[in-house]
Amino acid sequence: MKKALKIIGITLLIIVALLVAIPFMFKSQIKDMVKRFINENMNAKVEFSDVNLSFLSSFPQAHVSVDDLVITNFAPFKDETFATAKSITFNMSIKELFKTADEGPIIINAINVNEALLTLKTNKLGDVNYDIVKQKENQNTEASADEKGFTLDIEDYAINNSAFTYLDEKSNVTFYITELNHSGKGTFSGDVSQLDTNTEARVSLKLDSTQYLNNNTIKLDALIGLDLENSKYTFKENKAIINQLPLAFQGYVQMVDEGQDIDISFENTGSDFKDFLAIVPEAYSKNIEDVATTGTFKVKGIIKGLSSDTTIPHLDIKVTSNNASFKYPDLPKSVENIIINASVKNDDGNVDNTYVDIKALNFKIDEDIFKSSATLKNITKNMFVNADIDGVLNLANITKAYPVTLEKELSGILKAKLNTSFDMNAIETNTYQRIKNNGTVGITDFIFSGEDIVNPIHISKADITFHPGTVSLNSFDARTGTSDINATGTINNLLGFLLSDGKLKGNFNVKSNTFAVNDFMVAETETATKNKTTTEEASLKIPAFLDCSIQADAKTVLYDNLTLKNVKGSLKIKNEQANLENLTTNIFDGDLAISGLVDTKNKTPLFNMNLGIANFDISQSFKELELLQSLAPIAKILQGKLNTTINLSGALDEEFSPDLASVSGNAIAELLTTNISSENAPLLSKLNGAFSFIDFDKLDLKDLKTKLDFKDGKVNVKPFDIKYKDINITVDGSHGFDKSMAYNAVLQVPAKYLGSEVNQLIGKINDPAVDKITIPVTATIGGTFTAPTVKTDLTSGVTNLTKQLIEIQKQKLLNQGTQQLQDLIGDALGGTKPKNDSTKTQTNNPIKDVLGGIIGGNSTNTNTADTTNTETAPKKPTVEDGVKDILGGLFGGKKKKETTKDSIK
């Protein structure tokens, strides 16, 4: 006995060892078998990482697994992935592993597919990517099973955690199945058999631009009769659940030469209105188990006819509900008097003639009754919509009656009586003549808020009248923050804006008593982060959807620390740009006119502006406007009026203010009736210290005009003239926006202001013309406006003036000597004895006496009174002495004390 047991044990051990060893021994043969099967049956590139064989896991059958399968298409879908699978396992008889091609088909008993992704695709030309099975030569429909290379005799199969995608570019259909878990038992090899299946998945269906199913949960228990000989599949005992709506269906699908012959009918198994809520995706309807409902709800449909390349089955699907209501237990309001009468139909098999007819969709919340009806035709291509809306809706009751989660709470009363008809292509292409709207819509006490809105917008009243192609905004009264807005106008494509990616086009007249710009711009606070109006990467943007013209009239506009009065002008917004045309306002006791462009298309907003300023209060404007402070910092100490025109361009910062480092342009400024207030003016103190004879507080700046240009943070000032009493001053130079200075002031200083030495010289000269002499004195101004430096050439100027005055004095003496000589010569040539002079006698020959004196001859004195005492009496000057003095001054000669002779050298 022990020996027998030992033999049995050794035998079993050998068998187990063989079961373990044989797969390794025949692994290459198994790979060859798989490759042979693929090459014989597939017209695609197939790759896998490994093939494994086991006899233990499914003994007495063989277990074959293919890992990491990837199937890639050939042309016309070259290199596109058709299918992938993490693993595919097959259970089959061991003998099937060793069949050759001549020994008949391989029979597989069970298949398991894990984590598969399958994509079926039809391109615009009608080519399909799933036609990858090779056709056998001379194969026809009468070929026997033995002539086919593959058959299934399945006891069970499963597809686990997989996904399926169908894309039809020709018909614009997308169909997705995700989270697919499907299992079944049956036999495919018999002529007549049945397949028992169980399926759970999520399904999405989009036809053209309409989403019919959106990640809806599907459950299906189906017993399918298989008539393989006639390719007919009959649904026997079948139950389906779409979201939470139970459906029962029956019928068949049969494969025919033209396509599929379909005859299926279905309906919901109950009639409670709760079944309607079950259609709505659970994410929106929430838990409906405890919802109280009344009334009926019924879904019933028939799909019958040929599905082919040119036709679809006839459709007749109806949804009805009468006198229904529902109330969620945790919500205060109920929805009552619900009437639904809608259907989806196709009467002739032409897919383009499928239509949706909503005869009634009515309900009541509190005392508000809302009625609507619509038809949707040509839904697979350019869908046509014709809808009627008539009713009142309190928007605040939406969340009180239905568990919908809104980002922002709604409030307000909506009243509408409207008919609209349009096709989707007309909306997308803004073909207004095909958009027909007639009726009115009104809203009161509506509060709107969103990510891009700083303060909630409270619309107290808005009345809109719809006409074909246009919408008239009859009234619009709103408040946000401290701002009030009153608007009227027209909108050209409201439906295009609401239903597609169209722009909001229109013309508006906007009035406001107070318009605070900060009410529409986010500050650097927690609100900014919360509302996400701006990001670190991008500043405030002009909305891309706006394409409109605005005529503005605001009594007060508040911007930053500025208060603008009587703002009027035009604003055109398009392509993220705002064009300002003839915008005028009163500010700083003067007038401001603005024209230009603001462009926010790029990451950094840009602007290009022309400013016309008239009668600005200089002190106030230069204190409060950073731009003016940078252009002329010294002007803040002025008091008076300013006229200027400024052309400038540059970038805007995150607060929509000019980035001074980027600003460039030019300006022409004129000062009117200007006085100087030098308090806290270091530059004037420095200038007063450098020129004691000028009080710079009393400069005459009236009617001063100057030109300047600016770029790269630097302002260049063209030469301009100012005056202090009788001193003319010419100034030019430049300064930076950083307050640095590089200026020259050239003063034409009269000589009388230059000290006592100069004034003494002027007194000696005693000539009125000397008082008009001026010298240029240059003051070089550097440093900054808060710490200025002043250098002058006043000392050298005084020295030069002194030399000039000495030369003038010499010239004056020369002129006087010349005149005296001319007088003496005139007297000598034509002189006579003075009349009535009895004491003196004239020489008989005056010329001889003068010339004798010049050449050193003796003079003859006939005065008898002097002859008696020539030694002691003083000698009186003679003509000769005067001439000598003059000539000595002219030629630099020395005057001799002797009176007898002079020698000429």
Side-chain angles (χ1 to χ4, degrees):
M1 184 66 180
K2 291 182 180 180
K3 186 176 181 179
L5 291 175
K6 186 175 182 179
I7 293 172
I8 293 172
I10 292 172
T11 302
L12 291 175
L13 182 61
I14 292 172
I15 292 172
V16 171
L18 288 173
L19 291 175
V20 173
I22 287 174
F24 292 98
M25 297 170 58
F26 292 96
K27 187 171 184 177
S28 61
Q29 184 175 351
I30 295 169
K31 283 187 176 182
D32 292 339
M33 180 193 71
V34 173
K35 290 179 180 179
R36 174 172 62 84
F37 168 76
I38 290 172
N39 291 331
E40 289 177 354
N41 294 278
M42 306 289 284
N43 188 25
K45 180 181 178 181
V46 181
E47 298 176 296
F48 49 86
S49 64
D50 201 3
V51 175
N52 295 298
L53 172 65
S54 173
F55 293 132
L56 294 177
S57 61
S58 58
F59 188 81
Q61 291 188 325
H63 179 86
V64 180
S65 66
V66 179
D67 298 331
D68 302 322
L69 178 70
V70 178
I71 302 176
T72 306
N73 285 109
F74 294 150
F77 301 92
K78 183 174 175 59
D79 298 330
E80 293 185 12
T81 301
F82 170 68
T84 64
K86 186 175 183 179
S87 66
I88 301 178
T89 62
F90 306 89
N91 289 343
M92 63 186 72
S93 173
I94 294 176
K95 68 178 181 179
E96 299 297 320
L97 297 174
F98 304 100
K99 277 187 176 181
T100 64
D102 299 330
E103 293 178 329
I106 299 172
I107 298 175
I108 298 176
N109 304 112
I111 298 177
N112 280 278
V113 180
N114 298 305
E115 297 183 26
L117 299 175
L118 178 65
T119 301
L120 305 182
K121 186 175 182 180
T122 302
N123 64 19
K124 293 181 179 180
L125 300 177
D127 301 317
V128 297
N129 72 333
Y130 47 85
D131 187 13
I132 60 173
V133 179
K134 287 184 178 180
Q135 297 292 327
K136 299 290 185 178
E137 294 183 3
N138 302 321
Q139 182 177 347
N140 56 57
T141 56
E142 297 179 357
S144 65
D146 291 339
E147 294 175 321
K148 299 177 182 179
F150 177 67
T151 188
L152 295 176
D153 188 3
I154 297 177
E155 293 181 1
D156 62 80
Y157 70 95
I159 301 173
N160 304 312
N161 196 24
S162 298
F164 168 85
T165 300
Y166 175 72
L167 303 174
D168 191 335
E169 296 177 353
K170 190 174 182 180
S171 301
N172 201 13
V173 175
T174 58
F175 180 59
Y176 299 99
I177 298 177
T178 59
E179 301 178 31
L180 172 64
N181 289 283
H182 172 77
S183 62
K185 296 181 180 180
T187 301
F188 284 96
S189 58
D191 290 339
V192 177
S193 58
Q194 64 183 20
L195 183 64
D196 190 1
T197 65
N198 180 273
T199 304
E200 291 187 10
R202 291 185 177 273
V203 179
S204 298
L205 174 63
K206 186 176 182 179
L207 186 60
D208 199 16
S209 59
T210 303
Q211 191 83 40
Y212 291 96
L213 297 172
N214 186 18
N215 204 32
N216 295 90
T217 300
I218 299 291
K219 294 181 180 180
L220 174 63
D221 295 330
L223 183 63
I224 304 174
L226 304 176
D227 183 354
L228 299 181
E229 182 177 0
N230 296 305
S231 299
K232 186 175 182 179
Y233 309 96
T234 304
F235 299 99
K236 298 180 178 179
E237 300 175 9
N238 304 284
K239 295 179 180 180
I241 297 177
I242 302 176
N243 278 346
Q244 299 181 48
L245 174 67
L247 290 175
F249 63 97
Q250 53 278 329
Y252 68 86
V253 176
Q254 183 173 10
M255 309 302 292
V256 296
D257 292 340
E258 295 85 359
Q260 300 88 35
D261 180 23
I262 300 173
D263 188 351
I264 295 175
S265 61
F266 60 89
E267 64 179 323
N268 57 320
T269 54
S271 60
D272 196 301
F273 185 76
K274 188 175 291 186
D275 290 346
F276 169 77
L277 298 178
I279 296 177
V280 181
E282 188 175 352
Y284 301 102
S285 63
K286 309 300 180 184
N287 187 357
I288 65 173
E289 291 181 1
D290 297 326
V291 175
T293 63
T294 63
T296 62
F297 174 76
K298 200 70 178 176
V299 176
K300 189 174 183 178
I302 297 174
I303 304 174
K304 186 175 183 179
L306 179 66
S307 177
S308 67
D309 293 338
T310 58
T311 62
I312 64 170
H314 295 193
L315 303 175
D316 189 0
I317 302 170
K318 296 180 179 179
V319 178
T320 57
S321 178
N322 292 304
N323 197 27
S325 69
F326 67 85
K327 184 181 184 304
Y328 280 80
D330 299 330
L331 298 178
K333 303 290 184 180
S334 62
V335 181
E336 301 173 339
N337 295 352
I338 300 172
I339 297 175
I340 302 174
N341 185 359
S343 60
V344 181
K345 289 191 175 184
N346 182 289
D347 300 321
D348 59 5
N350 184 344
V351 64
D352 296 336
N353 293 332
T354 303
Y355 64 95
V356 178
D357 185 11
I358 304 173
K359 290 183 170 60
L361 177 57
N362 308 334
F363 60 88
K364 177 184 177 182
I365 304 177
D366 279 351
E367 299 302 318
D368 299 331
I369 299 174
F370 195 87
K371 298 180 179 180
S372 63
S373 61
T375 58
L376 290 74
K377 297 182 179 180
N378 197 32
I379 60 177
T380 60
K381 290 186 177 180
N382 181 24
M383 185 169 64
F384 178 80
V385 178
N386 190 326
D388 288 291
I389 299 173
D390 184 5
V392 178
L393 183 61
N394 187 334
L395 300 177
N397 286 337
I398 294 177
T399 55
K400 294 178 180 179
Y402 192 77
V404 60
T405 302
L406 302 176
E407 292 184 3
K408 302 294 180 181
E409 185 178 350
L410 292 177
S411 65
I413 307 298
L414 175 68
K415 295 182 180 181
K417 187 174 182 61
L418 177 69
N419 170 262
T420 179
S421 62
F422 58 90
D423 62 271
M424 294 304 298
N425 180 261
I427 290 177
E428 293 167 358
T429 60
N430 296 323
T431 310
Y432 305 126
Q433 61 270 23
R434 299 208 307 266
I435 303 175
K436 310 296 184 183
N437 296 305
N438 290 283
T440 60
V441 173
I443 190 167
T444 56
D445 295 326
F446 176 71
I447 297 178
F448 177 74
S449 61
E451 284 188 352
D452 294 334
I453 298 176
V454 182
N455 302 299
I457 298 176
H458 181 193
I459 302 175
S460 57
K461 181 182 179 182
D463 290 320
I464 302 173
T465 301
F466 289 83
H467 308 280
T470 63
V471 176
S472 296
L473 184 63
N474 303 318
S475 66
F476 180 87
D477 297 322
R479 297 191 64 87
T480 179
T482 59
S483 302
D484 64 273
I485 302 172
N486 179 277
T488 59
T490 59
I491 305 171
N492 294 332
N493 66 328
L494 183 61
L495 286 177
F497 170 66
L498 295 176
L499 301 180
S500 70
D501 296 329
K503 296 182 180 295
L504 181 61
K505 296 185 176 182
N507 299 287
F508 303 96
N509 295 311
V510 179
K511 294 184 178 181
S512 176
N513 291 312
T514 302
F515 187 91
V517 176
N518 287 341
D519 288 337
F520 302 88
M521 297 176 65
V522 173
E524 293 295 330
T525 62
E526 182 180 350
T527 305
T529 303
K530 181 179 179 181
N531 285 292
K532 299 179 182 177
T533 303
T534 59
T535 66
E536 293 181 357
E537 292 78 21
S539 60
L540 189 68
K541 292 283 188 180
I542 296 172
F545 63 79
L546 287 178
D547 183 359
C548 59
S549 297
I550 300 173
Q551 190 70 33
D553 184 354
K555 292 182 179 179
T556 302
V557 174
L558 304 176
Y559 175 65
D560 199 13
N561 62 334
L562 303 178
T563 300
L564 290 77
K565 296 291 186 180
N566 300 320
V567 178
K568 297 181 180 181
S570 298
L571 180 65
K572 293 185 178 180
I573 300 174
K574 186 177 182 180
N575 297 329
E576 298 182 59
Q577 294 179 330
N579 276 289
L580 286 76
E581 298 180 353
N582 300 319
L583 182 67
T584 60
T585 182
N586 305 130
I587 185 174
F588 304 131
D589 297 330
D591 300 319
L592 173 64
I594 304 174
S595 295
L597 171 72
V598 176
D599 185 346
T600 67
K601 286 187 295 185
N602 299 316
K603 179 179 178 181
T604 301
L606 304 175
F607 73 96
N608 191 329
M609 291 288 177
N610 297 319
L611 308 180
I613 294 173
N615 294 312
F616 262 26
D617 180 275
I618 297 174
S619 177
Q620 186 182 3
S621 61
F622 276 77
K623 286 178 182 177
E624 298 186 18
L625 285 179
E626 184 179 3
L627 176 63
L628 294 185
Q629 290 178 19
S630 299
L631 294 181
I634 193 64
K636 66 181 180 180
I637 69 172
L638 304 180
Q639 293 179 339
K641 295 293 185 178
L642 167 72
N643 289 342
T644 183
T645 58
I646 303 175
N647 303 315
L648 71 163
S649 61
L652 296 171
D653 60 20
E654 65 276 2
E655 296 179 354
F656 246 40
S657 296
D659 180 0
L660 293 179
S662 70
V663 169
S664 62
N666 57 75
I668 300 175
E670 179 183 13
L671 303 182
L672 307 174
T673 60
T674 305
N675 297 317
I676 296 176
S677 176
S678 60
E679 296 179 3
N680 300 320
L683 178 58
L684 288 190
S685 297
K686 286 283 186 180
L687 289 171
N688 282 327
F691 299 100
S692 60
F693 50 85
I694 298 181
D695 184 356
F696 282 91
D697 292 350
K698 297 180 180 179
L699 286 174
D700 183 4
L701 301 180
K702 184 179 179 180
D703 298 329
L704 184 151
K705 294 183 180 180
T706 185
K707 295 181 180 180
L708 52 87
D709 58 65
F710 40 94
K711 186 178 182 181
D712 300 328
K714 185 177 181 181
V715 179
N716 296 305
V717 180
K718 306 299 182 183
F720 64 91
D721 296 323
I722 55 178
K723 193 171 185 178
Y724 174 79
K725 296 184 178 178
D726 53 354
I727 300 176
N728 295 319
I729 305 173
T730 300
V731 181
D732 69 343
S734 64
H735 66 266
F737 289 164
D738 59 358
K739 304 299 188 292
S740 62
M741 295 187 296
Y743 278 94
N744 289 319
V746 180
L747 295 78
Q748 300 297 332
V749 182
K752 62 184 179 182
Y753 293 118
L754 300 177
S756 59
E757 275 189 35
V758 174
N759 282 302
Q760 287 175 5
L761 286 171
I762 293 174
K764 289 181 180 181
I765 296 172
N766 192 21
D767 188 342
V770 175
D771 294 338
K772 298 180 180 180
I773 294 176
T774 62
I775 64 166
V777 177
T778 300
T780 303
I781 304 170
T784 66
F785 284 98
T786 55
T789 61
V790 176
K791 297 179 181 180
T792 73
D793 60 353
L794 181 59
T795 301
S796 60
V798 171
T799 301
N800 292 332
L801 177 60
T802 302
K803 292 179 180 179
Q804 184 180 351
L805 290 175
I806 292 173
E807 288 298 324
I808 291 174
Q809 188 177 18
K810 288 176 64 177
Q811 186 64 40
K812 183 178 181 181
L813 291 175
L814 176 63
N815 292 338
Q816 289 175 346
T818 303
Q819 184 63 44
Q820 289 179 6
L821 177 60
Q822 291 175 349
D823 291 343
L824 288 172
I825 292 174
D827 289 343
L829 293 177
T832 59
K833 183 172 67 173
K835 295 179 179 180
N836 302 320
D837 189 357
S838 60
T839 60
K840 294 182 180 180
T841 58
Q842 187 78 18
T843 58
N844 295 327
N845 195 344
I847 297 176
K848 178 181 177 181
D849 292 337
V850 173
L851 293 178
I854 294 175
I855 62 176
N858 295 326
S859 62
T860 304
N861 192 339
T862 61
N863 193 338
T864 59
D866 292 336
T867 59
T868 61
N869 191 6
T870 57
E871 294 293 332
T872 59
K875 184 181 179 182
K876 294 182 179 180
T878 63
V879 177
E880 177 185 356
D881 294 330
V883 175
K884 286 181 179 180
D885 289 339
I886 294 171
L887 293 179
L890 289 176
F891 300 108
K894 295 181 180 179
K895 182 171 65 175
K896 302 291 185 178
K897 290 184 180 181
E898 296 80 359
T899 58
T900 57
K901 291 182 180 179
D902 287 326
S903 58
I904 301 176
K905 295 182 180 180

